[in-house]
Amino acid sequence: MGRHINRPRDSRSTHIDSTSSKLMSDQLIHAKGVTAVLALSFLLYLFLYYQTFHLHVTHAYAHLGYPAAQHSIGQRYLHGLGVEKDEEVAMRWFRKAADQGHPHASYNLAVGKLKAMTSDVEDWEVEELLSRAAVHGLKEAQDALENLHRNSDN
């Protein structure tokens, strides 16, 4: 077996090691600083532009087929929240969500037909849409369904 001899380090290798260590430490501090600045910038953007950010994220989920997001986008177009008010576009988003069983979207689509906001809903669909929403406990849909039955009996 070989014998290990402890040799004293010369001053040059010690200087290189400490310089290298200092450089790596400075780079790490710089990377953490950049990360912190980026994180704070993103948080500031969210604070100042939350509605716009939320709209874009929700819109992406709506295009992926999530009914809650589709209903939310429909609401934004119906009321002009962050987008130009467009009832026909709102009804198209409500249709997509209602076709997947979203109760509020079903109700909104039925009301849209009753208020002549859409031509995409057939007359016979109104009762079906209201029933779908009423089954899920939506009080407004239950009331509208009762009114619809009351008016059809007269």
Side-chain angles (χ1 to χ4, degrees):
M1 289 223 162
R3 214 170 126 202
H4 181 68
I5 301 174
N6 284 335
R7 293 187 181 144
R9 296 180 120 189
D10 66 13
S11 64
R12 285 179 294 160
S13 73
T14 305
H15 177 69
I16 291 171
D17 287 346
S18 69
T19 303
S20 174
S21 178
K22 171 108 172 84
L23 182 62
M24 287 174 49
S25 176
D26 289 347
Q27 288 173 338
L28 183 60
I29 290 170
H30 178 73
K32 285 182 178 180
V34 168
T35 302
V37 167
L38 288 174
L40 288 173
S41 297
F42 182 68
L43 291 174
L44 180 62
Y45 168 78
L46 286 179
F47 177 74
L48 296 174
Y49 298 100
Y50 173 76
Q51 289 297 325
T52 303
F53 178 76
H54 185 265
L55 172 66
H56 292 300
V57 171
T58 305
H59 210 267
Y61 276 99
H63 280 289
L64 289 172
Y66 288 86
Q70 292 169 336
H71 176 259
S72 181
I73 293 296
Q75 285 289 348
R76 285 177 165 276
Y77 277 102
L78 183 64
H79 299 291
L81 302 171
V83 294
E84 188 173 328
K85 185 175 180 175
D86 189 331
E87 292 171 347
E88 192 62 37
V89 172
M91 294 302 129
R92 284 198 301 266
W93 282 111
F94 290 146
R95 166 61 80 187
K96 290 177 185 210
D99 286 348
Q100 295 184 70
H102 193 282
H104 288 89
S106 298
Y107 171 76
N108 287 337
L109 191 58
V111 169
K113 173 62 177 178
L114 294 173
K115 292 185 174 183
M117 290 182 196
T118 183
S119 58
D120 186 38
V121 178
E122 300 296 326
D123 290 337
W124 60 268
E125 285 182 284
V126 171
E127 185 175 355
E128 181 182 310
L129 290 165
L130 289 173
S131 295
R132 189 182 312 157
V135 165
H136 284 89
L138 195 62
K139 179 75 170 124
E140 299 92 338
Q142 294 167 352
D143 294 343
L145 198 55
E146 286 177 18
N147 287 336
L148 189 67
H149 288 152
R150 196 174 311 124
N151 289 337
S152 67
D153 290 340
N154 293 334

